[in-house]
């Protein structure tokens, strides 16, 4: 089962693939270090530029960015108490007090080592868990694949939290966008309104850039954060080999944080911030000196950073095997896979084992490289990024977005379409409509429709074909559990509470 | 004096719900011309969107009736409108007067309007961005950018 994994290793060890991971890690740290920019946005902007690249090079860049950004978020969290990414909020609890005590350099070293450990654990989880799961999913026929898509959509809507109605609207919107263009079976035009540019449907990259890159740029310009980068001038950083022995006592925290991060990553809807908070709380709860936490306890930084990096690769376990992303970044990465002709889901491991297993190795290398790339000298340099003027950054990102979207087909129509999705994304973001269901709807919508119609053809129009075997019924039961589980649980526990109170 | 009934209808979530309902209703019209199997999924999604939009509308109006404040869209609507306006203007100018000219104007303009006013910094950044784009995309990747419809290209 794991022979494909070992066979894919030599392909990853080429100069181009390795360089892609290194560049990705550096770019990820830069993006993570700049408050307002996130891994999701960086990958969205990057995806169109990867069109002409070898799939492994493109995926190496994405894996590097993902790993790098999760650590990069710790830099402003420690130095300014402004988390660079949402997942770095818990890092600021103890990281910032450490910086105020003149231990900013050590806090960042704890963050980089813990991030690397979390990332390595997560990459191993992906390598060990995804292949067996993929074997199971290979047994699926059209009806089962249809139910997997329905389960994927439902799980992200109902497990994301927030308003279910808004989640459903997002998903329906995404699925509707997926049907625009020429019908895949009958060839009739759907909602193209005579526009030739729409015949091939909406390219996922246009949607990704519009939804995930434009709103943060508008935010960046809307609130030009006045940051005081003075804390980054003198971090008092010592060489990492000198700092390492002071961290060995955190091994239990690293282990616990890794397990929590991996688990949260696998769960659709949960993300790095939840993992970091849970790990921080658990580490504090089991600490012998909980009273020191919040005042500059390095173990707090270790707990948060291990967990938020441990959810990176593990979020790809359901994404690669079932096509269900665990996080928004994983959803965007699915888009990245799609543009390289790799359909995430049951067939991915059978059809493209070299790429998918290579991608797993790249995640592992990305995590290991964090220590070298984010070491003492580099951390000092990355901290200087906090002084970059945000309006200038915003204007440069706008140019990159236009270039990226225009490059897909060499036409301005796509740019205007992206701006439209950007406006929709901005409103959705502000009104707290979740964005991952839109992306997932676009990815799974076409997939679900194709398999539903195929299943109905096999069943000669009889809808009963969707419920004819055990696997389909299990998937239906799982979907129902995801949809009704949370409300039943609430009702059950509410009842218990009332009984108890009585 | 403000009219509370009017302001209730101007809540962002209510307006969004109405917008979704109307857009879904408009899109459902061409669905009737499609063959049944091709219309199945889009019709299901559009009808669902209309029902969900109605739910959203009722929910938000209930909140309004209970005196709950509306969701805040933005702290500074003028800056958001300006940002969107400049992005759209940039796209249009790329289309009409060409990529390099538009970018040379747009990068310093957006940064200046939104608060970065160091002339040396603006000039340096613009030159670096243009040079990097030219070397990476035009030379290394042979990417062609719009030359501008106004010049007959």
């Amino acid at each position: 089962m794991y022979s494909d994994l070992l066979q894919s290793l030599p392909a990853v060890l080429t100069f181009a693939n390795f360089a892609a991971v290194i560049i990705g890690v550096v770019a990820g740290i830069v993006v993570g270090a700049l408050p307002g920019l996130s891994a999701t946005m960086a990958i969205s902007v990057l995806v169109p530029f990867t069109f002409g690249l070898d799939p492994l090079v493109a995926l190496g860049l994405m894996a590097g960015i993902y790993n790098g950004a999760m650590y990069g978020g710790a830099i402003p969290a420690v130095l300014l108490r402004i988390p660079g990414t949402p997942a770095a909020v818990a890092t600021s609890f103890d990281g910032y007090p450490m910086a105020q005590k003149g231990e900013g350099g050590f806090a960042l070293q704890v963050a980089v080592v813990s991030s690397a450990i979390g990332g390595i654990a997560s990459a191993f989880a992906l390598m060990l868990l995804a292949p067996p799961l993929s074997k199971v999913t290979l047994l699926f026929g059209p009806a089962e694949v249809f139910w997997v898509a329905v389960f994927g959509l439902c799980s992200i809507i109902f497990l994301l939290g927030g308003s279910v109605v808004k989640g459903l609207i997002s998903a329906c919107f995404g699925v509707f966008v997926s049907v625009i263009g020429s019908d895949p079976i009958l060839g009739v035009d759907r909602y193209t309104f005579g526009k030739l540019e729409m015949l091939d449907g909406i390219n996922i990259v246009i949607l990704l850039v519009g939804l995930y890159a434009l709103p943060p740029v508008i935010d960046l310009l809307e609130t030009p954060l006045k940051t005081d980068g003075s804390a980054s001038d003198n971090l008092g950083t010592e060489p990492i080999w000198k700092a390492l022995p002071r961290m060995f006592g955190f091994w239990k925290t690293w282990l616990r944080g890794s397990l929590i991060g991996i688990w949260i990553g696998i769960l659709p809807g949960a993300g790095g911030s939840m993992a970091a908070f849970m790990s921080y709380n658990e580490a504090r709860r089991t600490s012998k000196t909980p009273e020191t936490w919040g005042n500059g306890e390095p173990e707090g930084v270790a707990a948060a950073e291990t967990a938020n990096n441990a959810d990176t690769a593990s979020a790809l376990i359901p994404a690669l095997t079932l096509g269900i992303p665990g996080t928004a970044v994983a959803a965007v990465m699915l888009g990245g896979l799609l543009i390289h002709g790799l359909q995430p889901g049951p067939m991915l491991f059978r059809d493209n084992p070299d790429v998918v297993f290579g991608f797993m190795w790249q995640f592992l290398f990305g995590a290991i490289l964090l220590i070298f790339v984010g070491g003492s000298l580099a951390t000092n340099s990355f901290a200087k990024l906090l002084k970059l003027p945000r309006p200038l950054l915003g204007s440069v990102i706008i140019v990159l977005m236009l270039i990226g979207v225009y490059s897909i087909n060499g036409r301005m129509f796509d740019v205007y379409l992206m701006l439209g999705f950007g406006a929709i994304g901005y409103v959705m973001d502000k009104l707290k409509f979740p964005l991952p269901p839109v992306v997932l709807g676009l990815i799974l919508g076409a997939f679900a429709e194709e398999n539903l119609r195929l299943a109905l053809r096999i069943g000669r129009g009889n809808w009963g074909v969707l419920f004819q075997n055990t696997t389909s019924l299990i998937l239906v039961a799982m979907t129902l559990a995801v949809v009704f589980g949370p409300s039943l649980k609430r009702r059950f526990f509410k009842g218990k509470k009332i009984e108890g109170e009585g | 004096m403000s009219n509370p009934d009017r302001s209730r209808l101007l809540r962002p979530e209510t307006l969004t719900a109405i917008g979704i309902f109307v857009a879904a209703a408009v899109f459902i019209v061409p669905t009737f011309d499609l063959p049944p199997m091709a219309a199945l999924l889009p019709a299901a999604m559009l009808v669902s969107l209309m029902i969900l939009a109605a739910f959203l509308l009722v929910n938000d109006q209930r909140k309004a009736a209970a005196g709950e404040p509306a969701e805040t869209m933005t702290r500074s609507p003028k800056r958001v409108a300006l940002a969107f306006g400049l992005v759209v203007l940039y796209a249009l100018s790329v289309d009409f007067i060409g990529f390099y000219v538009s970018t040379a104007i747009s990068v310093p303009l957006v940064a200046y309007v939104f608060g970065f006013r160091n002339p040396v910094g603006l000039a340096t950044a613009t030159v670096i961005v243009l040079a990097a784009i030219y070397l990476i995309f035009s030379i290394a990747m042979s990417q062609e950018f719009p030359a501008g419809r106004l010049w007959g290209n």
Side-chain angles (χ1 to χ4, degrees):
Chain A
M1 193 179 287
Y2 296 102
S3 58
D4 286 335
L5 184 66
L6 288 174
Q7 280 167 13
S8 65
L9 184 58
V12 183
L13 295 174
T14 61
F15 175 75
N17 289 337
F18 223 78
V21 182
I22 296 172
I23 294 168
V25 171
V26 175
I29 298 177
V30 171
V31 165
L34 293 165
L37 307 186
S38 63
T40 320
M41 181 211 186
I43 296 172
S44 316
V45 174
L46 172 86
V47 162
F49 298 114
T50 66
F51 262 125
L53 299 177
D54 179 81
L56 266 182
V57 174
L59 295 173
L61 273 170
M62 291 183 214
I65 287 180
Y66 198 2
N67 270 302
M70 294 311 270
Y71 157 64
I75 297 174
V78 167
L79 300 179
L80 307 169
R81 202 162 54 183
I82 300 167
T85 55
V89 174
T91 310
S92 66
F93 296 165
D94 284 284
Y96 185 64
M98 281 178 77
Q100 284 184 312
K101 286 194 274 184
E103 292 181 338
F106 182 57
L108 289 175
Q109 284 176 333
V110 171
V112 80
V113 172
S114 306
S115 296
I117 289 170
I120 291 167
S122 194
F124 276 121
L126 176 65
M127 287 173 161
L128 294 174
L129 299 178
L133 198 57
S134 72
K135 293 277 177 196
V136 178
T137 55
L138 277 177
L139 304 171
F140 292 0
E144 292 86 350
V145 174
F146 166 73
W147 284 117
V148 166
V150 174
F151 172 68
L153 269 173
C154 289
S155 57
I156 201 129
I157 294 163
F158 289 89
L159 298 179
L160 262 182
S163 162
V164 170
V165 173
K166 288 180 179 176
L168 284 167
I169 288 176
S170 297
C172 288
F173 172 59
V175 175
F176 178 71
V177 172
S178 80
V179 303
I180 294 174
S182 185
D183 177 277
I185 295 170
L186 302 172
V188 290
D189 293 359
R190 295 191 289 192
Y191 314 103
T192 59
F193 301 105
K195 284 269 174 203
L196 283 177
E197 294 94 333
M198 306 270 277
L199 268 183
D200 287 339
I202 305 286
N203 189 305
I204 188 159
V205 180
I206 298 169
L207 183 94
L208 288 179
V209 177
L211 287 187
Y212 282 105
L214 191 58
V217 173
I218 301 295
D219 275 341
L220 209 65
L221 297 173
E222 182 194 354
T223 48
L225 198 69
K226 295 227 177 339
T227 51
D228 170 19
S230 58
S232 59
D233 288 336
N234 189 14
L235 297 174
T237 317
E238 56 183 355
I240 203 154
W241 54 269
K242 276 190 184 172
L244 263 177
R246 291 168 66 190
M247 300 180 208
F248 288 147
F250 303 153
W251 70 271
K252 277 186 191 166
T253 306
W254 284 336
L255 183 67
R256 194 188 302 111
S258 297
L259 292 175
I260 290 172
I262 289 167
W263 175 241
I264 295 288
I266 294 171
L267 289 181
S273 20
M274 191 199 275
F277 275 114
M278 276 182 71
S279 170
Y280 183 87
N281 285 339
E282 271 306 297
R284 184 180 183 170
R285 197 179 61 79
T286 53
S287 168
K288 285 175 188 161
T289 53
E291 68 281 357
T292 62
W293 288 58
N295 300 316
E297 174 58 59
E299 203 175 340
V301 176
E305 282 301 307
T306 311
N308 71 23
N309 269 69
D311 98 319
T312 52
S314 65
L316 289 163
I317 297 171
L320 295 177
T321 53
L322 300 169
I324 306 164
T327 58
V329 195
V332 175
M333 280 193 161
L334 288 192
L337 287 169
L338 273 181
I339 67 155
H340 288 282
L342 309 163
Q343 174 68 51
M347 306 303 162
L348 183 65
F349 286 77
R350 189 192 63 188
D351 299 340
N352 306 91
D354 48 338
V355 178
V356 76
F357 288 116
F359 187 36
M360 292 179 185
W361 285 113
Q362 287 172 323
F363 253 97
L364 182 65
F365 297 149
I368 296 169
L369 281 167
L370 262 185
I371 297 179
F372 299 101
V373 178
S376 46
L377 181 69
T379 293
N380 282 330
S381 319
F382 290 129
K384 300 274 187 290
L385 289 169
L386 298 172
K387 291 181 174 175
L388 273 178
R390 290 159 64 92
L392 195 60
L393 204 65
S395 64
V396 174
I397 297 172
I398 291 168
V399 176
L400 286 176
M401 282 164 51
L402 185 136
I403 295 175
V405 172
Y406 179 82
S407 311
I408 302 169
N409 297 308
R411 60 192 189 200
M412 283 304 291
F413 179 82
D414 294 340
V415 175
Y416 296 128
L417 208 55
M418 178 271 287
L419 293 178
F421 282 123
I424 292 172
Y426 185 81
V427 173
M428 290 180 76
D429 191 38
K430 293 294 165 188
L431 294 180
K432 299 185 180 72
F433 282 84
L435 295 178
V438 183
V439 180
L440 202 56
L442 182 58
I443 294 173
L444 295 181
F447 194 48
E449 186 187 29
E450 212 177 303
N451 282 286
L452 171 68
R453 286 164 73 173
L454 203 57
L456 288 175
R457 276 191 165 199
I458 293 167
R460 295 183 182 178
N462 178 11
W463 286 77
V465 74
L466 296 174
F467 306 94
Q468 266 177 355
N469 64 51
T470 319
T471 318
S472 292
L473 292 174
I474 291 171
L475 286 163
V476 173
M478 282 165 68
T479 309
L480 291 174
V482 163
V483 174
F484 296 109
S487 58
L488 285 175
K489 197 175 153 191
R490 264 199 306 275
R491 190 163 291 181
F492 177 74
F493 281 112
K494 201 176 164 189
K496 285 261 178 192
K497 203 177 172 188
I498 292 164
E499 267 174 41
E501 279 165 3
Chain B
M1 212 174 98
S2 68
N3 181 347
D5 287 337
R6 190 173 165 270
S7 64
R8 269 181 63 168
L9 286 175
L10 291 178
R11 290 164 66 93
E13 217 165 280
T14 294
L15 287 174
T16 306
I18 294 169
I20 294 169
F21 191 93
V22 172
V26 168
F27 275 102
I28 215 159
V29 177
T31 311
F32 295 118
D33 299 332
L34 294 171
M37 281 315 278
L40 181 69
L41 193 65
M45 290 302 115
L46 290 168
V47 171
S48 304
L49 275 172
M50 288 167 77
I51 295 168
L52 290 163
F55 263 114
L56 193 66
L57 179 71
V58 172
N59 270 347
D60 195 47
Q61 286 301 304
R62 271 191 189 158
K63 283 182 195 168
E68 220 175 284
E71 292 270 5
T72 319
M73 278 290 287
T74 167
R75 284 181 294 273
S76 43
K78 279 184 188 167
R79 287 182 76 95
V80 173
L82 190 63
F84 264 115
L86 284 172
V87 175
V88 173
L89 196 69
Y90 171 56
L92 287 169
S93 68
V94 168
D95 200 357
F96 287 95
I97 63 170
F99 175 76
Y100 281 106
V101 180
S102 307
T103 305
I105 298 168
S106 170
V107 169
L109 179 71
V110 172
Y112 183 85
V113 168
F114 286 96
F116 180 65
R117 301 205 166 144
N118 176 349
V120 180
L122 285 172
T124 314
T126 309
V127 170
I128 292 173
V129 168
L130 286 173
I133 290 171
Y134 180 72
L135 291 174
I136 297 171
F137 296 103
S138 292
I139 302 287
M141 295 167 77
S142 305
Q143 170 75 48
E144 280 184 29
F145 294 116
R149 290 194 213 183
L150 276 184
W151 322 126
N153 294 299

